[in-house]
Amino acid sequence: MDGFDDAIEFDGGAWSEPWGRTRPGYLDAATMGIPMRATRDAMRLAVEQWAAGEASAAEYGEAVERARAAYARLVGAPRSEVAIGATTSELVGLVAASLPDGSEVLCVDGDFSSIVYPFLQHAHRGVAVRHVPLESLAGAIGPGTALVSFSLVQSADGRVADAAAIAEAARAAGTTTLCDTTQAAGIRPVDAAEWDLTVCHAYKWLCAPRGAAFLTASPDAAERIVPLHAGWYAGEDVWSSAYGPDMRLAASARRFDTSPAWLSWVGAATALDGFEAIDLGAAWARAAGLADELLERLGLAPRGQAIVALDDPDGALAAALGAAGVRFAQRAGRVRLGFHLWNAERDVELVRAAAADARVLA
């Protein structure tokens, strides 16, 4: 049994068709996406080929390049500016290690740790990390700020950064920008060209297996990054880079690649192919619309975002949601609900009913 056999058909229409069947009440895309049917099929086939001794490292490499190309198109970046890795913190760590001594890094207070902790590790050489509220981020950027690191969509509560204001302030100050798009790519349009650097792990809204992450780096930003993780996969010719002593790294952003976890990239390539067929502007309108419909039913003001975070200091709402079979996350003293394309009004009603049972309606 694969976990889908006893589920009911979606009532979300064409939006949910790529996923086929899943459990009702799954509102946790901000933690872990659900694979499309094509992704599940591709990974099952890959495991069967592996088990039969028919797997090919070269074919796995083709999946990596297919995923790289699809991601580049999805975020509007040249393929030559896209590097692959396994986690966002690993990729951010390269950026942190490449900052000059004494640099100031500006972060959002309460942002996800993977785009904060790597910079904190360099305090011993004078790298100072300053934290400000999201709404104050653009105004806090100054001539002394070497880099501003922030999530386009906040993990804890779904707030969306004012991308235009941050980009304008950073350009005026000569500040490098690093934007984490993990909670954005796959549910809303993302333009990597707005930023010097972006990172994204694809296992959330892009519904890929965990272990497929991306870095985009403009040519200027890439010149300032040291490829500390360089190995055979970072070579100009991957299959001629397995042995030393010579090191000829890729001229493109591939020099920042780490050796891929093969099966993750089989799934990621297929997942990204699927998302290329989705109008992400319309996807955002649908997901945010469902989230706002929930807020309206709870007597709360709309927020225009796909993630709804509800205060739950005593855990009553979490208990009621769990009893109703809703899948969600608890973050920073709140219940966090994320609406993706498999969700529909039935999920809104599940949460509303649970909230009524917990007596948390406004």
Side-chain angles (χ1 to χ4, degrees):
M1 176 159 171
D2 63 11
F4 295 84
D5 298 338
D6 292 340
I8 64 172
E9 293 289 350
F10 283 106
D11 61 0
W15 286 110
S16 56
E17 193 279 333
W19 285 269
R21 293 155 64 102
T22 191
R23 69 193 305 282
Y26 190 89
L27 289 160
D28 204 15
T31 298
M32 183 190 307
I34 293 177
M36 295 178 182
R37 289 178 297 181
T39 305
R40 303 199 298 267
D41 291 344
M43 295 192 72
R44 285 172 177 148
L45 177 59
V47 171
E48 289 170 3
Q49 291 174 331
W50 176 31
E54 297 175 353
S56 162
E59 289 180 1
Y60 288 143
E62 291 171 4
V64 172
E65 294 313 311
R66 191 171 119 222
R68 190 196 312 271
Y71 182 77
R73 291 189 295 268
L74 195 71
V75 301
R79 181 175 175 175
S80 61
E81 295 180 10
V82 179
I84 62 108
T87 66
T88 54
S89 57
E90 158 203 331
L91 297 169
V92 174
L94 284 178
V95 178
S98 301
L99 286 173
D101 292 355
S103 295
E104 179 190 85
V105 177
L106 184 63
C107 294
V108 173
D109 189 19
D111 211 335
F112 195 68
S113 58
S114 291
I115 60 167
V116 178
Y117 285 6
F119 300 107
L120 294 174
Q121 300 310 305
H122 293 271
H124 65 280
R125 58 186 188 87
V127 174
V129 180
R130 185 160 57 99
H131 303 264
V132 299
L134 178 64
E135 295 74 17
S136 304
L137 189 61
I141 298 171
T145 308
L147 180 141
V148 55
S149 175
F150 68 100
S151 296
L152 184 56
V153 173
Q154 290 293 297
S155 172
D157 57 16
R159 285 176 299 154
V160 181
D162 186 341
I166 295 166
E168 182 180 356
R171 283 193 296 269
T175 298
T176 299
T177 51
L178 169 61
C179 180
D180 182 356
T181 66
T182 300
Q183 295 287 4
I187 195 59
R188 60 172 288 148
V190 169
D191 182 3
E194 289 187 89
W195 319 109
D196 299 300
L197 301 156
T198 73
V199 290
C200 178
H201 204 308
Y203 75 102
K204 295 180 184 286
W205 302 89
L206 284 166
C207 302
R210 186 167 171 84
F214 298 92
L215 166 76
T216 69
S218 70
D220 287 346
E223 285 299 317
R224 300 193 295 273
I225 300 175
V226 180
L228 296 175
H229 301 152
W232 70 286
Y233 216 79
E236 183 63 56
D237 181 346
V238 169
W239 300 107
S240 299
S241 301
Y243 305 102
D246 297 326
M247 179 178 71
R248 184 165 171 257
L249 297 183
S252 70
R254 278 204 312 103
R255 67 185 179 274
F256 306 123
D257 282 7
T258 54
S259 183
W262 284 326
L263 291 177
S264 294
W265 289 94
V266 170
T270 307
L272 288 160
D273 284 346
F275 275 94
E276 280 200 89
I278 293 172
D279 180 339
L280 291 178
W284 179 251
R286 174 177 168 77
L290 287 171
D292 282 345
E293 182 179 342
L294 171 62
L295 290 169
E296 181 181 354
R297 293 193 191 185
L298 297 180
L300 300 171
R303 300 171 188 172
Q305 56 193 52
I307 294 174
V308 172
L310 302 171
D311 290 337
D312 189 30
D314 59 2
L317 179 56
L321 290 170
V326 177
R327 288 294 297 271
F328 61 96
Q330 290 176 279
R331 297 288 185 273
R334 306 181 187 96
V335 162
R336 186 184 69 183
L337 305 160
F339 287 86
H340 209 320
L341 297 182
W342 55 76
N343 294 119
E345 289 192 9
R346 67 168 191 210
D347 300 309
V348 173
E349 178 55 26
L350 271 175
V351 177
R352 187 214 61 79
D357 289 343
R359 300 180 182 179
V360 297
L361 291 175

